[in-house]
Amino acid sequence: MELWKKRALILTADVIIAAVLGRLAVRARMNLLLGGTLFGGNFL
């Protein structure tokens, strides 16, 4: 039972990390296509 809980926790963490990185990748791609800063704001 402990192994199952550990696997479920790791899988949940992986899903969350993948979702965050996936959204960031889509956002970076759209910014490259449209031109702009990735995190908002003006760096100049």
Side-chain angles (χ1 to χ4, degrees), residues 29-41:
R29 175 114 172 103
M30 291 302 290
N31 270 305
L32 284 174
L33 289 174
L34 299 174
T37 60
L38 184 57
F39 299 106

Side-chain angles (χ1 to χ4, degrees), residues 1-2 7 9-12 14 16 18-20 22-23 25 30-31 34-35 37 39-43:
M1 196 64 177
E2 284 296 319
R7 282 186 180 175
L9 185 64
I10 291 172
L11 183 62
T12 304
D14 284 348
I16 292 171
V20 169
R23 283 187 52 86
M30 291 302 290
N31 270 305
L34 299 174
T37 60
F39 299 106
N42 191 357
F43 289 119

